[in-house]
Amino acid sequence: MADALGPRVMQMLAAGQMAQAISSVRTHLKFKPRDPGALDLLAMLLMRSGDLPGATVASERAVQAEPHAAILRHNLAIILKESGRFADAVAQWERAVNLDPRLAPAWTCMSTGYAFLRRPSDALAAARKGLALSPNSAEAAGAVAFALQQACQIEEAVAEGERAVTLEPSNPLLWANLLLTANYLSGPPEALADRHRTFGSLFASGSGAAATDPNRPLRVGVLSPDLCDHSVAYFVEALLAARPADCTMVAIHTGGIRSKDPVQGRLRSLFQAWHEAAGAGDALLEGALRELRLDVLIELSGHSAGGRLAALAGKPAPVMITAIGYPNTTGLPAMDWRVVDSITDPPGSEHLCTEKLLRLDPCFLCYTPPMQAPEPVMPSEDAPFTFGSFNNANKISRQTAELWGGLLQAVPEARLLLKARRFADPEVRRTIRQRLAQAGIEPDRLDFQSHLPSREGHLGLYRAVHVALDTVPYNGTTTTCEALWMGVPVITTLGDRHAARVSASLLHAVGHPEW
């Protein structure tokens, strides 16, 4: 790449001239179409502008021009990961570290790719390799924290996450991982609230959105990466279907197009406008939201995977609401409201949230079951009595293990069926088996099940369960609804935090007995 091109492009980016920067690189490539550095630069610019298909093509051309350059394969892998092509991304990272075993960023990023492929042991090994090569890297420390979380080692994940945000306190992704992980630990609710407020103080902004026209129909934006076959969609679909007729609904989807996803197809029909924003940086996303001139923006992720709170810190809509996808306060001063109910967030808990609480009683969630759910069937009469939990494996905390241990000691003939994607990893099974053994549950009473290829198969597994068990302090949500939908009674208990009471809220809403 010509020596002057890179600095010139950086100057344009600093001036906010993304289109001019892309045009400048394209002009260079007309004269040197196989310049790997220029192709790589174009790919990075296109990714930042939200054009992931174009970025992929440019990056692949860069690799073809210089196939032995590890850094080019690393950059291609980043784009593939942002496009949701995790297996292809990991394959490129594996080739990159074979070419240059000391390329620390490739090890660090490869660990996140392994995590998305539900290979937590591989993720942790790669993350630790990246941290060993770059011990003062916040990104490397954050990758170790994320990999530890995926391996269900929550206490260690929180400790490493704290170190990561200390190294780089302005990184919103490191904060999101730390805050989400901290929800899995028991502890004083004030301490967790303080963590969220610290995040909010670092990302506070005073800009705000322009006033909109009060005489026009209300424009409501929905921001989420999960407008697809995802747990969040099971709770947002009914709300969208019941929208007021004179309200214009605008989707800002940051998760990418899924042409074969029937849920995404149904959700698209409930919006008057649909905008794809996968790969867009925070500044670009904030600008796009402002251009939409929304009256209300509803975000559905909080600090969970794919959340974009940093892009909302400047308040790109006059009214902003967080709902459904995250079990706690965002900590973001710009966020006006959080949708809850009087069980998840009882009166008197307002001091634990930075938002105002919008309580929809008796239950703030409305579940839409899968279209092809099988008929509920109780286990056969000769089947052993089986408790079951299909919750995220991270939710099987030490506190949960102790509660389950007491229950299984009281019913000595019972078995416990656990289903989660991560149970495909032998090390995760070993971690959970040890945790439950410490609570008095013998390993030979446990049955593990990992991912099943179809929704029907997943729901059909409830036919082997007599009673479903909840988790604490982070309760189930979708799994609670699934169990009830399949006719399985649920035993739940309130957690020790206001934000961990979703299951009790759901059970209350359907009039189900609680324990």
Side-chain angles (χ1 to χ4, degrees):
M1 181 172 62
D3 292 340
L5 179 61
R8 187 166 69 249
V9 167
M10 292 303 107
Q11 290 175 359
M12 292 177 183
L13 290 179
Q17 300 171 339
M18 174 64 79
Q20 293 90 326
I22 292 173
S23 177
S24 179
V25 178
R26 290 192 188 281
T27 299
H28 173 89
L29 286 168
K30 287 181 180 179
F31 298 96
K32 296 186 176 181
R34 289 183 55 80
D35 183 340
L39 288 165
D40 182 57
L41 179 58
L42 176 62
M44 293 297 105
L45 293 173
L46 292 173
M47 181 179 71
R48 289 179 60 178
S49 71
D51 182 4
L52 290 174
T56 303
V57 171
S59 190
E60 287 174 340
R61 288 177 58 198
V63 169
Q64 291 168 2
E66 197 169 340
H68 299 296
I71 190 63
L72 297 182
R73 291 190 179 276
H74 166 60
N75 290 341
L76 171 59
I78 291 173
I79 297 168
L80 293 171
K81 174 179 170 289
E82 289 296 318
S83 304
R85 296 169 57 183
F86 301 117
D88 293 336
V90 164
Q92 290 297 332
W93 274 315
E94 288 175 340
R95 295 191 66 177
V97 297
N98 283 333
L99 289 166
D100 183 0
R102 297 193 61 78
L103 186 59
W107 287 105
T108 295
C109 292
M110 183 165 61
S111 73
T112 63
Y114 282 136
F116 280 107
L117 292 175
R118 273 79 183 187
R119 295 167 59 180
S121 293
D122 291 333
L124 187 53
R128 284 176 168 158
K129 180 71 172 178
L131 186 60
L133 290 168
S134 186
N136 295 317
S137 165
E139 185 178 3
V144 172
F146 183 62
L148 285 165
Q149 183 226 85
Q150 296 294 299
C152 299
Q153 299 177 37
I154 301 302
E155 291 88 350
E156 298 87 344
V158 169
E160 195 65 37
E162 293 277 18
R163 192 170 83 87
V165 298
T166 300
L167 288 168
E168 190 178 345
S170 62
N171 188 320
L173 294 178
L174 298 180
W175 274 103
N177 184 47
L178 170 62
L179 295 173
L180 174 63
T181 305
N183 282 285
Y184 297 116
L185 287 179
S186 298
E190 290 77 13
L192 189 55
D194 286 345
R195 272 195 174 109
H196 286 78
R197 286 195 181 92
T198 300
F199 160 81
S201 68
L202 293 169
F203 291 88
S205 173
S207 48
T212 55
D213 182 358
N215 297 315
R216 70 174 190 190
L218 197 67
R219 286 178 60 83
V220 178
V222 176
L223 173 67
S224 175
D226 302 321
L227 299 176
C228 56
D229 189 4
H230 184 278
S231 294
V232 166
Y234 300 154
F235 299 99
V236 75
E237 186 169 358
L239 296 177
L240 293 172
R243 69 197 184 281
D246 59 349
C247 179
T248 300
M249 300 298 298
V250 180
I252 306 95
H253 186 232
T254 57
I257 299 172
R258 299 186 182 185
S259 58
K260 297 182 180 180
D261 187 328
V263 177
Q264 186 168 104
R266 292 202 309 272
L267 292 179
R268 275 180 172 271
S269 69
L270 300 176
F271 289 94
Q272 281 72 49
W274 182 286
H275 301 275
E276 285 293 339
D282 290 335
L284 183 66
L285 179 57
E286 180 180 2
L289 290 170
R290 291 184 184 280
E291 289 178 5
L292 290 174
R293 303 281 292 175
L294 301 170
D295 300 296
V296 179
L297 175 64
I298 304 172
E299 82 85 28
L300 303 176
S301 301
H303 294 285
S304 62
R308 302 302 303 273
L309 292 179
L312 306 183
K315 200 174 178 61
V319 177
M320 299 203 308
I321 302 172
T322 183
I324 297 176
Y326 187 68
N328 215 315
T329 181
T330 64
L332 197 67
M335 193 65 65
D336 298 294
W337 295 90
R338 179 167 162 256
V339 180
V340 298
D341 58 47
S342 293
I343 295 179
T344 63
D345 296 71
S349 64
E350 289 81 2
H351 68 288
L352 299 173
C353 301
T354 57
E355 307 88 359
K356 294 183 287 291
L357 298 181
L358 178 59
R359 291 188 176 93
L360 301 181
D361 289 323
C363 179
F364 78 97
L365 292 169
C366 183
Y367 176 65
T368 302
M371 300 289 286
Q372 304 299 323
E375 289 295 320
V377 176
M378 288 298 293
S380 62
E381 292 184 3
D382 60 347
F385 189 89
T386 302
F387 292 110
S389 176
F390 296 2
N391 284 287
N392 182 333
N394 282 341
K395 296 183 178 181
I396 306 176
S397 63
R398 299 188 191 281
Q399 184 185 4
T400 295
E402 291 171 2
L403 288 169
W404 290 358
L407 185 60
L408 266 74
Q409 288 170 23
V411 191
E413 73 279 9
R415 301 190 61 77
L416 177 58
L417 170 61
L418 301 175
K419 179 185 181 295
R421 285 179 178 268
R422 269 174 257 168
F423 291 144
D425 189 303
E427 285 301 306
V428 172
R429 295 198 301 272
R430 183 185 64 80
T431 296
I432 298 301
R433 190 180 284 114
Q434 287 182 345
R435 188 170 300 164
L436 295 173
Q438 291 170 357
I441 303 176
E442 299 87 347
D444 60 5
R445 299 177 68 184
L446 300 174
D447 297 305
F448 289 96
Q449 174 67 56
S450 60
H451 178 63
L452 291 172
S454 70
R455 183 67 59 185
E456 294 84 354
H458 166 74
L459 293 173
L461 193 60
Y462 281 102
R463 293 170 170 176
V465 176
H466 292 85
V467 174
L469 302 181
D470 198 11
T471 53
V472 291
Y474 194 154
N475 291 131
T477 306
T478 308
T479 50
T480 305
C481 293
E482 288 176 345
L484 294 172
W485 183 256
M486 293 303 298
V488 179
V490 179
I491 295 179
T492 189
T493 184
L494 297 186
D496 57 4
R497 285 200 304 271
H498 76 285
R501 295 172 173 169
V502 172
S503 284
S505 177
L506 291 165
L507 294 173
H508 176 81
V510 298
H512 200 285
E514 299 176 15
W515 173 71

